[in-house]
Amino acid sequence: MEDLNFYESVYALVRQIPEGRVTSYGAIARALGREGSARIVGYAMGNAGKANPPVPAHRVLNSKGQLSAKAAFGHPDLMQQLLENEGVKINNDRVVNFKSVFWDPLTEELI
């Protein structure tokens, strides 16, 4: 079983992603000093529904801006709907303006 403290660190960082912005599993891993651990961040996001306070897991995508984890949201359109409700444009399961809405925790101000 992965280190639950790492999961909590992931959740704390993901909670800081501003509304209308997205990031990647890899960016979260790098920001937490775990370069190459994007998959573990993905596992953490898969368990984010159990976290309290809630984690905006819909804002974490793969490195290409694809909604690769949309099946984890229970309905195939829910992840896209949540992002679109925040003003993020999606086309064919990919963020249209990925580079312009990308939030890098290493270079952006944290809350």
Side-chain angles (χ1 to χ4, degrees), residues 45-63:
M45 297 288 46
N47 288 295
K50 302 172 188 173
N52 192 15
V55 176
H58 62 284
R59 297 177 187 155
V60 183
L61 313 172
N62 74 14
S63 62

mmCIF file of all heavy atoms in Angstrom, residues 45-63:
data_model
loop_
_atom_site.group_PDB
_atom_site.id
_atom_site.type_symbol
_atom_site.label_atom_id
_atom_site.label_comp_id
_atom_site.label_asym_id
_atom_site.label_seq_id
_atom_site.Cartn_x
_atom_site.Cartn_y
_atom_site.Cartn_z
ATOM 1 N N MET A 45 -5.344 10.029 -6.823
ATOM 2 C CA MET A 45 -6.536 10.672 -7.364
ATOM 3 C C MET A 45 -7.690 9.676 -7.456
ATOM 4 O O MET A 45 -8.840 10.041 -7.261
ATOM 5 C CB MET A 45 -6.259 11.280 -8.738
ATOM 6 C CG MET A 45 -5.237 12.391 -8.752
ATOM 7 S SD MET A 45 -5.662 14.008 -8.059
ATOM 8 C CE MET A 45 -6.428 13.724 -6.555
ATOM 9 N N GLY A 46 -7.370 8.419 -7.724
ATOM 10 C CA GLY A 46 -8.400 7.385 -7.767
ATOM 11 C C GLY A 46 -9.087 7.176 -6.434
ATOM 12 O O GLY A 46 -10.214 6.688 -6.381
ATOM 13 N N ASN A 47 -8.414 7.544 -5.362
ATOM 14 C CA ASN A 47 -8.979 7.422 -4.018
ATOM 15 C C ASN A 47 -9.441 8.758 -3.453
ATOM 16 O O ASN A 47 -9.849 8.831 -2.303
ATOM 17 C CB ASN A 47 -7.942 6.813 -3.071
ATOM 18 C CG ASN A 47 -7.735 5.352 -3.342
ATOM 19 O OD1 ASN A 47 -8.633 4.549 -3.158
ATOM 20 N ND2 ASN A 47 -6.548 4.996 -3.817
ATOM 21 N N ALA A 48 -9.370 9.805 -4.258
ATOM 22 C CA ALA A 48 -9.675 11.154 -3.775
ATOM 23 C C ALA A 48 -11.126 11.321 -3.335
ATOM 24 O O ALA A 48 -11.428 12.188 -2.511
ATOM 25 C CB ALA A 48 -9.336 12.189 -4.842
ATOM 26 N N GLY A 49 -12.019 10.507 -3.855
ATOM 27 C CA GLY A 49 -13.431 10.597 -3.469
ATOM 28 C C GLY A 49 -13.669 10.331 -2.000
ATOM 29 O O GLY A 49 -14.693 10.729 -1.446
ATOM 30 N N LYS A 50 -12.713 9.676 -1.346
ATOM 31 C CA LYS A 50 -12.827 9.356 0.083
ATOM 32 C C LYS A 50 -12.237 10.453 0.956
ATOM 33 O O LYS A 50 -12.364 10.419 2.172
ATOM 34 C CB LYS A 50 -12.103 8.041 0.370
ATOM 35 C CG LYS A 50 -12.617 6.865 -0.425
ATOM 36 C CD LYS A 50 -11.716 5.653 -0.227
ATOM 37 C CE LYS A 50 -12.112 4.545 -1.183
ATOM 38 N NZ LYS A 50 -11.172 3.427 -1.139
ATOM 39 N N ALA A 51 -11.570 11.418 0.344
ATOM 40 C CA ALA A 51 -10.855 12.450 1.106
ATOM 41 C C ALA A 51 -11.818 13.523 1.617
ATOM 42 O O ALA A 51 -12.807 13.850 0.977
ATOM 43 C CB ALA A 51 -9.786 13.100 0.238
ATOM 44 N N ASN A 52 -11.466 14.040 2.768
ATOM 45 C CA ASN A 52 -12.232 15.122 3.363
ATOM 46 C C ASN A 52 -11.254 16.124 3.939
ATOM 47 O O ASN A 52 -10.399 15.733 4.720
ATOM 48 C CB ASN A 52 -13.163 14.576 4.451
ATOM 49 C CG ASN A 52 -14.183 15.607 4.888
ATOM 50 O OD1 ASN A 52 -14.389 16.603 4.221
ATOM 51 N ND2 ASN A 52 -14.805 15.346 6.018
ATOM 52 N N PRO A 53 -11.318 17.389 3.547
ATOM 53 C CA PRO A 53 -12.303 17.997 2.648
ATOM 54 C C PRO A 53 -12.155 17.494 1.213
ATOM 55 O O PRO A 53 -11.137 16.902 0.856
ATOM 56 C CB PRO A 53 -12.006 19.499 2.750
ATOM 57 C CG PRO A 53 -10.619 19.610 3.267
ATOM 58 C CD PRO A 53 -10.346 18.363 4.054
ATOM 59 N N PRO A 54 -13.173 17.754 0.387
ATOM 60 C CA PRO A 54 -13.168 17.254 -0.988
ATOM 61 C C PRO A 54 -11.952 17.728 -1.788
ATOM 62 O O PRO A 54 -11.387 18.782 -1.526
ATOM 63 C CB PRO A 54 -14.451 17.846 -1.584
ATOM 64 C CG PRO A 54 -15.320 18.120 -0.415
ATOM 65 C CD PRO A 54 -14.402 18.488 0.706
ATOM 66 N N VAL A 55 -11.582 16.907 -2.758
ATOM 67 C CA VAL A 55 -10.442 17.178 -3.631
ATOM 68 C C VAL A 55 -10.982 17.405 -5.051
ATOM 69 O O VAL A 55 -11.718 16.564 -5.554
ATOM 70 C CB VAL A 55 -9.467 15.981 -3.628
ATOM 71 C CG1 VAL A 55 -8.333 16.192 -4.609
ATOM 72 C CG2 VAL A 55 -8.943 15.720 -2.236
ATOM 73 N N PRO A 56 -10.630 18.512 -5.709
ATOM 74 C CA PRO A 56 -11.099 18.749 -7.083
ATOM 75 C C PRO A 56 -10.309 17.919 -8.092
ATOM 76 O O PRO A 56 -9.557 18.444 -8.928
ATOM 77 C CB PRO A 56 -10.893 20.255 -7.268
ATOM 78 C CG PRO A 56 -9.719 20.568 -6.392
ATOM 79 C CD PRO A 56 -9.850 19.648 -5.208
ATOM 80 N N ALA A 57 -10.476 16.620 -8.019
ATOM 81 C CA ALA A 57 -9.709 15.683 -8.846
ATOM 82 C C ALA A 57 -9.942 15.899 -10.339
ATOM 83 O O ALA A 57 -9.085 15.535 -11.150
ATOM 84 C CB ALA A 57 -10.071 14.247 -8.466
ATOM 85 N N HIS A 58 -11.043 16.510 -10.720
ATOM 86 C CA HIS A 58 -11.329 16.745 -12.135
ATOM 87 C C HIS A 58 -10.326 17.704 -12.763
ATOM 88 O O HIS A 58 -10.207 17.758 -13.982
ATOM 89 C CB HIS A 58 -12.758 17.279 -12.315
ATOM 90 C CG HIS A 58 -13.015 18.594 -11.661
ATOM 91 N ND1 HIS A 58 -13.190 18.717 -10.295
ATOM 92 C CD2 HIS A 58 -13.117 19.844 -12.174
ATOM 93 C CE1 HIS A 58 -13.394 19.992 -10.001
ATOM 94 N NE2 HIS A 58 -13.360 20.699 -11.130
ATOM 95 N N ARG A 59 -9.562 18.419 -11.952
ATOM 96 C CA ARG A 59 -8.576 19.377 -12.460
ATOM 97 C C ARG A 59 -7.213 18.745 -12.735
ATOM 98 O O ARG A 59 -6.283 19.437 -13.132
ATOM 99 C CB ARG A 59 -8.423 20.526 -11.470
ATOM 100 C CG ARG A 59 -9.693 21.327 -11.291
ATOM 101 C CD ARG A 59 -9.538 22.415 -10.266
ATOM 102 N NE ARG A 59 -10.827 23.054 -10.016
ATOM 103 C CZ ARG A 59 -11.140 23.665 -8.904
ATOM 104 N NH1 ARG A 59 -10.258 23.764 -7.924
ATOM 105 N NH2 ARG A 59 -12.341 24.200 -8.759
ATOM 106 N N VAL A 60 -7.082 17.442 -12.517
ATOM 107 C CA VAL A 60 -5.802 16.760 -12.737
ATOM 108 C C VAL A 60 -5.949 15.844 -13.958
ATOM 109 O O VAL A 60 -6.789 14.952 -13.979
ATOM 110 C CB VAL A 60 -5.365 15.958 -11.497
ATOM 111 C CG1 VAL A 60 -3.995 15.322 -11.737
ATOM 112 C CG2 VAL A 60 -5.335 16.850 -10.256
ATOM 113 N N LEU A 61 -5.100 16.098 -14.954
ATOM 114 C CA LEU A 61 -5.174 15.407 -16.240
ATOM 115 C C LEU A 61 -3.847 14.739 -16.565
ATOM 116 O O LEU A 61 -2.864 14.928 -15.849
ATOM 117 C CB LEU A 61 -5.489 16.423 -17.342
ATOM 118 C CG LEU A 61 -6.620 17.404 -17.074
ATOM 119 C CD1 LEU A 61 -6.678 18.457 -18.165
ATOM 120 C CD2 LEU A 61 -7.936 16.685 -16.940
ATOM 121 N N ASN A 62 -3.817 14.027 -17.673
ATOM 122 C CA ASN A 62 -2.519 13.495 -18.089
ATOM 123 C C ASN A 62 -1.705 14.603 -18.750
ATOM 124 O O ASN A 62 -2.191 15.726 -18.944
ATOM 125 C CB ASN A 62 -2.675 12.248 -18.968
ATOM 126 C CG ASN A 62 -3.156 12.533 -20.374
ATOM 127 O OD1 ASN A 62 -3.164 13.653 -20.866
ATOM 128 N ND2 ASN A 62 -3.573 11.477 -21.045
ATOM 129 N N SER A 63 -0.486 14.327 -19.094
ATOM 130 C CA SER A 63 0.437 15.355 -19.592
ATOM 131 C C SER A 63 0.055 15.918 -20.957
ATOM 132 O O SER A 63 0.603 16.933 -21.380
ATOM 133 C CB SER A 63 1.859 14.798 -19.650
ATOM 134 O OG SER A 63 1.917 13.715 -20.561
#
